[in-house]
Amino acid sequence: MTVQAVAQVLASGLLMGLIYALIAVGLSLIFGLMDVVNFAHGEMLMLAMYLSFGGWALMHLDPVLFLPLAVGAMFAFGAFVYVGVVRYAMRARANAGMVQIFATFGLAVLIQGLAQFFLSPDYRSIGSSMLAGKTVNLGGVFLPAPQLFGGLVSVAAFAGLWLLMSRTDFGKALEATREDQGAVALVGVDRNRIFALGWGLGAALVGLAGAVMSIFYYIHPQVGAGFALIAYVTVALGGFGSVFGALAAGLIVGLVEAATTLVLPSSMKSIGVYALYLLVVFVRPNGLFGRL
């Protein structure tokens, strides 16, 4: 295998790693904010992909142009999920953790079932896009334009998230709520409002990833399950609740997955990722980066 071929595989892994990080960061944000694992995270990704497909099929909007609309719709959906489901699950006086798990898991089953009923289990794809079929040549390494766009969007999203959390009042309130929910209530911060906005932000981020992925990936009701599993592994590697640890872990997952294909068939590419995950669980259970 030539050096150029290795560079090609690793570059593809890096781009997918950025997309994995974008999928995972919303999950990490919600867990860090509320200690709640959103088991409907993959279904939110699926919904965003269907929204982009609907925008293309019904409104003839390119997925790149429809992206802000998909993000806005997913923000509203995430806030609605907290107000309509999670808020009540958190009030459980017995086995609160299990109630929250089953509430989000039940939501995932409901969303997937509704998608199968109304949209059919058929695979769909966006047939034409301003990025489809295009590549960028960087010194002999060919990068597909949709994945490159997704990587750039991920970098921009993490930069925007850093600015939001470090330079705005909402970001500071979000971080304070992550640190001590009781203390922020004493200074007049509405915890439920922060939680609703946090869920909206988490859903918007995975919606952003879904809108990007709809350009180059097949869309069907079960599409979110596989990527949700990768997101859980990414969050665990980076450290539960570590927002920017998700970025580093996503890059690691993408590179390890790509490196595995150099020695094993592509159908077994996840073996390296799960082996790394098990190693981290045994050696550093809090994740590689803890809470950043």
Side-chain angles (χ1 to χ4, degrees), residues 18 46 91 98-99 107 126-127 136 155 167 177 192 204 239 287:
L18 286 169
M46 176 264 290
R91 293 177 180 176
M98 294 300 297
V99 172
L107 179 64
I126 293 177
V136 176
V155 171
R167 303 294 178 86
T177 306
N192 280 319

Side-chain angles (χ1 to χ4, degrees), residues 168-257:
T168 67
D169 290 339
F170 168 67
K172 293 174 182 178
L174 189 67
E175 188 64 27
T177 306
R178 281 161 54 94
E179 294 295 331
D180 193 331
Q181 298 178 17
V184 296
L186 294 176
V187 296
V189 175
D190 186 347
R191 187 180 66 172
N192 280 319
R193 179 173 176 271
I194 296 298
F195 284 166
L197 293 175
W199 269 80
L201 180 58
L205 288 167
V206 75
L208 181 61
V212 168
M213 288 184 60
S214 67
I215 302 173
F216 62 88
Y217 206 85
Y218 285 110
I219 306 165
H220 56 96
Q222 291 82 30
V223 68
F227 288 103
L229 184 58
I230 293 176
Y232 298 140
V233 171
T234 301
V235 170
L237 284 176
F240 281 98
S242 174
V243 172
F244 295 102
L247 173 59
L251 293 175
I252 292 172
V253 167
L255 290 172
V256 169
E257 185 179 77

Side-chain angles (χ1 to χ4, degrees), residues 18-274:
L18 286 169
I19 295 175
Y20 290 157
L22 186 58
I23 296 172
V25 67
L27 186 67
S28 185
L29 176 69
I30 291 172
F31 183 87
L33 181 64
M34 301 171 57
D35 286 336
V36 173
V37 178
N38 178 18
F39 283 92
H41 194 72
E43 280 59 39
M44 289 183 175
L45 178 75
M46 176 264 290
L47 282 179
M49 296 177 74
Y50 270 112
L51 281 174
S52 290
F53 177 81
W56 172 78
L58 302 176
M59 302 169 62
H60 306 292
L61 276 178
D62 190 279
V64 175
L65 301 178
F66 189 78
L67 191 147
L69 297 177
V71 171
M74 291 307 299
F75 180 92
F77 179 74
F80 171 78
V81 166
Y82 171 75
V83 173
V85 178
V86 179
R87 181 178 59 167
Y88 295 102
M90 292 179 65
R91 293 177 180 176
R93 296 184 178 180
N95 297 321
M98 294 300 297
V99 172
Q100 293 161 16
I101 289 173
F102 282 114
T104 57
F105 182 78
L107 179 64
V109 174
L110 175 63
I111 293 173
Q112 191 174 127
L114 291 175
Q116 289 181 343
F117 182 79
F118 289 106
L119 303 173
S120 84
D122 296 339
Y123 281 54
R124 304 173 188 272
S125 63
I126 293 177
S128 61
S129 169
M130 64 176 65
L131 298 176
K134 297 180 180 179
T135 59
V136 176
N137 184 358
L138 295 178
V141 175
F142 293 90
L143 304 177
Q147 284 89 329
L148 181 59
F149 173 72
L152 294 175
V153 167
S154 178
V155 171
F158 273 95
L161 187 59
W162 177 80
L163 290 174
L164 177 70
M165 297 184 69
S166 62
R167 303 294 178 86
T168 67
D169 290 339
F170 168 67
K172 293 174 182 178
L174 189 67
E175 188 64 27
T177 306
R178 281 161 54 94
E179 294 295 331
D180 193 331
Q181 298 178 17
V184 296
L186 294 176
V187 296
V189 175
D190 186 347
R191 187 180 66 172
N192 280 319
R193 179 173 176 271
I194 296 298
F195 284 166
L197 293 175
W199 269 80
L201 180 58
L205 288 167
V206 75
L208 181 61
V212 168
M213 288 184 60
S214 67
I215 302 173
F216 62 88
Y217 206 85
Y218 285 110
I219 306 165
H220 56 96
Q222 291 82 30
V223 68
F227 288 103
L229 184 58
I230 293 176
Y232 298 140
V233 171
T234 301
V235 170
L237 284 176
F240 281 98
S242 174
V243 172
F244 295 102
L247 173 59
L251 293 175
I252 292 172
V253 167
L255 290 172
V256 169
E257 185 179 77
T260 304
T261 63
L262 296 175
V263 295
L264 294 175
S266 58
S267 60
M268 303 175 68
K269 64 183 180 180
S270 297
I271 287 180
V273 174
Y274 297 131

